[in-house]
Amino acid sequence: MSPVERRNVGRGAAAARAAVVLCVAGVLVGAAPAAYADPAPDGKRDLEDVRKRIDDLYRRAERATDAYNGAKEQVERQQKEIVKLAKDIVSTQERRKQLKKRAGSLASAQYRGGGLPAEAKLMLNRDPEGFLDNATLARKGQHAVRTVLGQLARTEDDLQGYAQDASERWDRLEKERKKKAAAKKDIEKKIDAAERIESQLKAEEKERLKKLEEDRAHRAQTKWLDSGILREIGGDASAQGKKAISYATAQIGKNYVWGAEGPDTFDCSGLTMRAWEAAGRTIPRTSQEQWRQLRRIDIDDMRPGDLIIYHEDASHVGMYLGDGAIVHAPRPGRQVTIAGAGSMRILGVVRPDAKG
């Protein structure tokens, strides 16, 4: 029975619920893996120190990934705005051309009339009916000229405004492109450093390192469960939440790739964004913006489909499945998987649902 199916089971005793959670994919609870720490005196590597160094590098890469994703989103937004402004400028230039043509026609008509303004012709006309006709024509002519000149002036102002806005947009675009490039370089540098460290390990050391990671996650999850938190959490997923969970869990086994939004690879926030998009809800692209913009929920009120934001800098996110489990995209070299909701430091919980 999957975590998604189990969330519909009635609430049991805390111990029973914890036991169920601990069985999920062998990562939530169960027999605790042995703790590994190579002694330094005999010349062996201190794998716990290696684990911390690698974890720190990937954490910093994840923070840079959030910066990259944010800059990428801004670049795309600025590009769309610039395209829109370009269209506005073209249409306004065409309008200005037409207004100038109309203004020229009015000037030509006045010239063909002998160069006399309509008011002078009005004074020289001795025919009462002609006087009234000329008076009407004079008013209409004056109004037409004022209207065209006013429209032309507003059009010139619009063009100047569009040009200024376009210039500012280009400046912002260039700044975001530089931020994006710098973040990309930072990410690649840190991931390369982590991979170099791992590549220097022997096969048996890599296996022990993996067990160390599991052991750390197990201890954190056990501590979280021992707090009795599951006695407080028992909400049911909304209709949208169920759709988001269905999408997210269908991606299990796909590789983590920084900056990826699917459909074949994901980073942590790319997965949650696409999952809620599949549920009909547009949410921010990055975990930091998800934390900043989405409605925050007390952890006691958490329900399946909600997003758990991790670490003090909101650099990681996972989707709560119920029974103390999440689905998330962990880091480079790992796949989308199920993990304990308390296996990392929780910053808070947000709810993407529009209502409820």
Side-chain angles (χ1 to χ4, degrees):
M1 182 179 294
S2 71
V4 178
E5 293 169 331
R6 286 200 304 276
R7 73 175 186 277
N8 294 319
V9 177
R11 303 178 185 175
R17 294 187 66 182
V20 172
V21 174
L22 298 177
C23 294
V24 177
V27 298
L28 304 184
V29 184
Y36 288 85
D38 290 335
D42 62 2
K44 291 185 179 180
R45 301 176 196 271
D46 184 344
L47 285 184
E48 177 58 21
D49 180 61
V50 171
R51 184 199 67 76
K52 289 179 180 178
R53 288 167 58 196
I54 291 174
D55 183 63
D56 179 64
L57 284 167
Y58 280 129
R59 282 281 315 285
R60 290 160 64 190
E62 196 163 38
R63 286 196 293 270
T65 298
D66 237 26
Y68 172 88
N69 289 334
K72 178 184 175 184
E73 194 172 36
Q74 285 297 319
V75 165
E76 292 171 352
R77 182 179 294 115
Q78 297 301 335
Q79 287 174 333
K80 289 178 182 178
E81 288 296 328
I82 288 172
V83 169
K84 181 179 181 298
L85 283 169
K87 291 179 180 178
D88 289 339
I89 288 172
V90 170
S91 64
T92 305
Q93 286 175 332
E94 181 60 30
R95 178 170 174 75
R96 180 179 64 175
K97 179 181 177 182
Q98 295 299 323
L99 288 170
K100 284 185 174 181
K101 185 177 180 182
R102 287 176 62 189
S105 297
L106 289 172
S108 297
Q110 181 176 326
Y111 177 78
R112 287 195 300 271
L116 291 174
E119 291 84 352
K121 291 183 179 182
L122 180 63
M123 296 301 295
L124 294 173
N125 197 317
R126 296 179 181 179
D127 178 11
E129 292 183 1
F131 178 92
L132 294 175
D133 290 342
N134 282 341
T136 301
L137 289 173
R139 286 196 300 272
K140 290 183 177 179
Q142 291 170 349
H143 179 70
V145 171
R146 285 196 300 269
T147 299
V148 170
L149 292 179
Q151 290 175 337
L152 185 57
R154 287 192 296 272
T155 301
E156 293 287 358
D157 287 343
D158 288 343
L159 268 178
Q160 186 176 359
Y162 289 146
Q164 178 65 28
D165 198 3
S167 177
E168 292 174 358
R169 293 283 180 181
W170 273 112
D171 289 342
R172 293 179 201 169
L173 178 62
E174 287 306 308
K175 289 179 182 178
E176 293 301 331
R177 280 176 172 164
K178 289 178 181 178
K179 285 171 61 177
K180 179 182 172 186
K184 182 176 185 290
K185 185 176 180 180
D186 192 24
I187 294 165
E188 292 173 342
K189 180 180 178 181
K190 288 175 172 56
I191 291 177
D192 286 346
E195 290 177 343
R196 279 198 303 272
I197 293 173
E198 289 188 277
S199 69
Q200 295 169 3
L201 299 177
K202 297 177 182 179
E204 60 186 34
E205 290 177 319
K206 289 180 180 179
E207 185 62 29
R208 293 203 305 274
L209 181 65
K210 183 178 178 181
K211 289 180 179 178
L212 275 174
E213 292 177 353
E214 293 172 352
D215 183 43
R216 184 212 58 77
H218 169 82
R219 290 195 305 269
Q221 174 71 358
T222 300
K223 181 178 179 180
W224 188 67
L225 292 174
D226 287 347
S227 71
I229 188 67
L230 290 188
R231 288 196 297 269
E232 308 298 331
I233 303 173
D236 294 325
S238 65
Q240 278 189 313
K242 291 177 182 177
K243 291 179 181 179
I245 289 170
S246 178
Y247 180 93
T249 53
Q251 313 313 312
I252 290 174
K254 293 185 178 180
N255 288 333
Y256 176 107
V257 173
W258 66 266
E261 303 173 2
D264 300 319
T265 57
F266 296 89
D267 63 18
C268 65
S269 57
L271 175 65
T272 54
M273 180 193 71
R274 290 302 182 201
W276 273 98
E277 183 180 76
R281 178 87 166 103
T282 299
I283 66 173
R285 169 63 180 89
T286 69
S287 59
Q288 292 175 343
E289 286 302 302
Q290 288 170 7
W291 172 242
R292 189 176 72 85
Q293 296 185 36
L294 298 179
R295 183 160 53 101
R296 297 183 185 181
I297 301 296
D298 289 339
I299 196 166
D300 292 353
D301 297 325
M302 184 168 62
R303 69 189 187 194
D306 288 343
L307 305 182
I308 303 180
I309 308 297
Y310 292 96
H311 310 308
E312 67 280 358
D313 55 4
S315 59
H316 191 72
V317 59
M319 180 179 292
Y320 187 59
L321 298 177
D323 290 329
I326 61 166
V327 57
H328 73 145
R331 67 166 177 82
R334 299 290 186 263
Q335 292 75 40
V336 176
T337 188
I338 293 172
S343 60
M344 296 168 283
R345 181 180 177 184
I346 296 176
L347 177 62
V349 181
V350 293
R351 179 163 294 165
D353 297 75
K355 294 181 181 180

